[in-house]
Amino acid sequence: MKVLSFCPSSAVSASLPGLIIFFITYHIHKLESAQFSVTGPGHPVTAVVGEATVLPCHLSPRMSAVNMEVRWFRSQFSAVVHLYRDGQDQYREQMPDYHGKTELLKDGIMDGNVSLQILNIRRSDEGQYHCFVKDDVFYEEAILELKVAALGSNPLISVESHQDGGIRVVCQSAGWYPEPKVLWRDLSGQELPSLSEAKSLGDSGLFETENSIIIKERSNQNLSCWIRNTFLNQEKESTVYIADFFFPRVNPWIVALSVILLVLFVCFIGLTVYLFKMKGKHLGEINDLQRELDWRRNIVCPVNVTLDPDTAHPQLVLSDDRKSVRCGDTRQNPPDNPERFDTEPWVLGCEGFTSGRHCWEVEVVAGRYWAVGMARESVRRKGRISHSPEEGIWAVERGWWGQFQALTSPETPLPLSRAPSRIRVCLDCDRGQVTFIGAGDEAPIFTFPPGPIPGERIRPWLRLWPGSQLSLCP
């Protein structure tokens, strides 16, 4: 790239012509050096909470972006949403809020398509996104606007009380974004005036609404609560009919007594259902406890397991005895065999089990972020997969925010004051049960629901982040 200079001392006698020549030369040089432009949609992209969406972005003219740097970020260059560099995705600089949520769609990367897919959209994902593409010293970027919307729950209509010679009816709903429009309508679709309206933002950033109306006897006894998301142009509706006997007569105490009896009857039914559920829950807890006692009573001695270097991610470093592993800051260059994990810092144990009861212990030597468990031998080694029993992984982890959780689908938070430093992993192949126990105090951590174990070998599985180290206990 050429470097242009301007000397102030030489411009004393001809400052204006010198400046004109400088800027003309600069812009000609910029036009000559331009290789491509980065373009996105000319309108905001709409996404629905809980679903996936794609932020379109491509190069013009079409050219391969395989060897370029593609950086998606928010307001600051360092606030990385997704980073692709050196021919592969880089996750170390990614913001924790987007960990496991993004994917650069590489099907069209040879044609300059660098679109980004974001999974499980949240309210906080709304805002501007920068699509930055760099090739050597040349770079361009496009700015996209993401609008987030949510369609809330079905309206819940309830009869509250007598008021002003009629009945006060309330409509409630939650989980809307942006702020929804609420209307009452009669049987013919005519809009009815509401008595009061209250809207508030919940903890998830979504709107909750409560709207009330007064219904008079023999007028508008059929009514609907209609809630609309004007951004998505979608709506939800619930209808109710208010019978005559609910309205106050000459003696309002009769109506009040009827309402009270109805409420008591509903409460009685609800209490009966609740007690049955609680009884079933306690029986289930007793059965779970009995199964846990049976498991501990029949548990076998821990087996001696080692780590398989052929499966270790290039960022993982195994000890000579293959009993310990740590996650380094740089990737090594081991042979890229079919058994090796290439995306996530995972490693499998050498030993595998197809029947009987087995257990082994893992000690957390260092680090705040790690996962311990087991995986079926056929678990996919290339690309990204979800961490769940459906994908062949049973594990517990200490995540980015320090939360301790079981990797179910979705994750199950574990109510522990702190993650244990030594964990016993137990496998009962015959019963299809996977259990985690604190090796220090023998306290149960989590048991996956019993299910069929696939007819293949089940092997120890570890996941580490930079700075973490785990060891298999003797």
Side-chain angles (χ1 to χ4, degrees), residues 352-355 375-379 429 453-459:
F353 312 100
T354 58
S355 62
R376 62 187 181 192
E377 191 167 50
S378 63
V379 67
C429 297
I453 297 294
E456 60 178 285
R457 297 174 67 203
I458 303 298
R459 301 169 63 178

Side-chain angles (χ1 to χ4, degrees), residues 366-434:
R368 299 173 57 189
Y369 315 119
W370 44 264
V372 172
M374 61 188 73
R376 62 187 181 192
E377 191 167 50
S378 63
V379 67
R380 186 151 52 94
R381 313 300 173 88
K382 310 301 180 183
R384 296 176 62 84
I385 65 172
S386 62
H387 318 130
S388 66
E390 290 76 14
E391 293 291 344
I393 295 175
W394 298 264
V396 295
E397 76 164 6
R398 192 175 194 271
W400 282 102
W401 299 105
Q403 74 278 17
F404 192 48
Q405 59 188 6
L407 297 182
T408 53
S409 181
E411 292 85 356
T412 301
L414 299 178
L416 298 180
S417 59
R418 61 181 179 85
S421 60
R422 188 163 177 167
I423 300 174
R424 181 180 302 154
V425 186
C426 303
L427 168 65
D428 189 336
C429 297
D430 301 329
R431 297 175 57 193
Q433 183 171 319
V434 177

